[in-house]
Amino acid sequence: MKFNHIRRQVRGAVLGFAFLLGGASLAAQGVVVGRVTDAATKQPLQQAQVNIVGTTQRVLTNQDGQYRLLNVPAGTALVRVVYIGYKSESQSAFVTAGASVTADFAMTAAPVGLEAIVVTPSGNASARQEGNNVPTVQLSTLTRTEAITNMSDAINARVPGVVVQQSGGTTGSGTRIRIRGSNSVSLSNDPVLVVDGVRVDNTSSSSTVGVGGQVPSRLNDYNADDIESIQVSEGPSAGVLYGTDAANGAIIMQTKKGHPGPTVWNVNFEGGVQNDVGSYPANYRGVTAANASCRLTQVAAGTCTQANVLTLNPIEQFSPFRTGNLTNMGISASGGNEQTTYYVAGHYNYANGVYSVNTDKQVFLRGNIHHQAASNLIFDVSTGYVTSQLRLPQNDNNVFGVLSSGFLGGTDSTVNQGYGFLTPAQSFSIHTFQLVDHFTGSFAAKYTPRSWLEINATLGNDFISRRDENTDVPGAIPQAFNNNAFIGSRNANPFQIYTYTANVFGTAEFLLTPTVTSRTSAGLQYFRSDLHGVTTFNLGLTAGTGSLTGGVVPQDSEATTETATFGKFVEERVGIRDRVFFTGSLRSDQNTSFGKRFGNILYPKLTASWV
């Protein structure tokens, strides 16, 4: 009993000392307030980032350019303002305990964007602090001046070292992105795609039904009007930041968020037409005077001469093309107060390609909320959903395709209109669809328990429900050309893909001396992708049915793929006079791509930056 009494007394003394220490700490804090404006126009700058150098304390200015930094330790504090397109500004402020001090800033425009904010798994930093180049595309500005119809257009030819290869010219076909070429023989060469801190599916060949080469990609499941910025992490540094899967780089997208103030409505409408402007040779598969086969390639080689009896160009004389059109419309609203802001949007995109069987319909919905729960606690919720219906024609390197049939046509227009294999009507009888429902959601929290310490956590999920369909209508394709297509067949392949993300890291910033800063970050990252799909095929369809149950020769298979990555990282950055920066990082990864028995793999990184 005596021992318990003494322990209670000790515990009470410790708690009392902690209370007094906490009270003394709170009492030795003040407030820094001020306003940020453009030096030339005197207009307020909204969403400028204001922070206390050597700490993790930072806020954004409101619509009037005003800011308020709470719980600033008493003494001399170095206040710094960063805003994209302007030179960073700093000034000292003497903070008195329990009082507020004013520090106003007039920002000067800068032609070089060294102050652009770079988003990394170890926290946000300015571009000047990064030892490797991180190109940024400000999509919110780009969409006001250029016609950006999809995300592929937003990246193409805008970032050095990034090659965007179109898989086909038809509406809805996707792209293959390569950053500094292909670098892996065991993993995918597609770059990692991150949206609001959550890993999402970025498969460039997202289809199990072949139409000759063109395939959709999941990058275009995001609407360019909802994206604030795109950053590209190139080279080996991406592996240190985003793990083993990022051996071929990473694309980081940030969606739009609301700003404090009255609700701002934005309505957009875009329309256009599409036409085929190709030039096609006549009589590619012509004949000689003796009625022997003579192709244009042989004519060019001088091995034969076509008889100039009949000139036929089936692709132009019996054209399979039409005038397509494009319609994009959308509406968004953003606003809020100092505590909570929001951004909500809806978009409808509909495109008719130059083939009558080529259509793409997409509906996008997005809702983002930013909430300041306390002076040291912030929550962000990001949600996005798209539903799409895509129909693709037979094309490219494909005997069912129209162009290949036209190229290898004959000189007699009474036989298949001069087409070699199938007429356009016969090729267009094949029904190829992809139906997609795609949801991406994330929840992020930022907690600042001390002025020098910041803790971030992100949880998210990316879910795709995809259905690939292909139907050969019975009797539409000549039996002599392909018997299986003549008797009818159908593919219907449903897939579900889940991608989970869990990240947590802490960052500590200190002012070691008046000219030397230290920033230390450490954290954990976990990614998991689960794919489950069923491929089904049925041959010999009953006329008038479009269902698998109407076939007589069924085939099916099932596939399940699971991959996971667990990484730990630590990073130290030292800055000298805000001009010289040294950064060292080390990441330890466990990835199932190398097998269950494979141990940790280490990724080191050492960079330097001098401004």
Side-chain angles (χ1 to χ4, degrees), residues 6 62 106 108 125 169-170 172 228 242 254 278 328 344 359 365 372 386 409-410 459 509 513 530 546:
I6 295 175
N62 61 16
T108 304
T170 55
E228 181 71 28
Y242 296 96
Q254 296 290 318
N328 295 338
V344 293
T359 60
L365 299 175
Q372 181 98 33
V386 60
L459 298 174
E509 292 192 24
T513 71
D530 295 339

Side-chain angles (χ1 to χ4, degrees), residues 182-356:
S182 299
N183 303 309
S184 178
V185 295
S186 60
L187 301 176
S188 169
N189 281 289
D190 295 323
V192 163
L193 182 60
V194 179
V195 178
D196 290 335
V198 174
R199 183 81 63 88
V200 301
D201 184 81
N202 187 33
T203 307
S204 58
S205 300
S206 182
S207 179
T208 55
V209 176
V211 291
Q214 59 205 295
V215 289
S217 65
R218 301 277 63 89
L219 178 65
N220 291 332
D221 286 349
Y222 299 91
N223 192 284
D225 289 321
D226 292 333
I227 305 300
E228 181 71 28
S229 65
I230 301 175
Q231 293 179 356
V232 179
S233 182
E234 304 176 348
S237 63
V240 180
L241 297 175
Y242 296 96
T244 302
D245 294 340
N248 292 280
I251 297 176
I252 303 97
M253 299 196 301
Q254 296 290 318
T255 61
K256 293 181 178 179
K257 294 179 173 60
H259 305 307
T263 300
V264 177
W265 293 89
N266 184 22
V267 179
N268 67 282
F269 179 85
E270 177 185 355
V273 297
Q274 304 182 72
N275 287 292
D276 178 75
V277 294
S279 177
Y280 305 97
N283 288 353
Y284 178 84
R285 193 177 182 180
V287 295
T288 65
N291 204 32
S293 176
C294 181
R295 300 185 180 185
L296 291 181
T297 52
Q298 295 173 301
V299 173
T303 58
C304 66
T305 303
Q306 289 185 358
N308 190 19
V309 177
L310 178 65
T311 299
L312 180 65
N313 192 327
I315 298 178
E316 294 188 354
Q317 293 179 237
F318 302 97
S319 176
F321 303 116
R322 66 174 178 180
T323 298
N325 58 73
L326 172 71
T327 301
N328 295 338
M329 60 184 71
I331 183 172
S332 65
S334 62
N337 51 38
E338 297 294 335
Q339 185 176 26
T340 304
T341 61
Y342 60 88
Y343 173 84
V344 293
H347 306 276
Y348 174 75
N349 293 356
Y350 186 80
N352 287 316
V354 294
Y355 288 122
S356 62

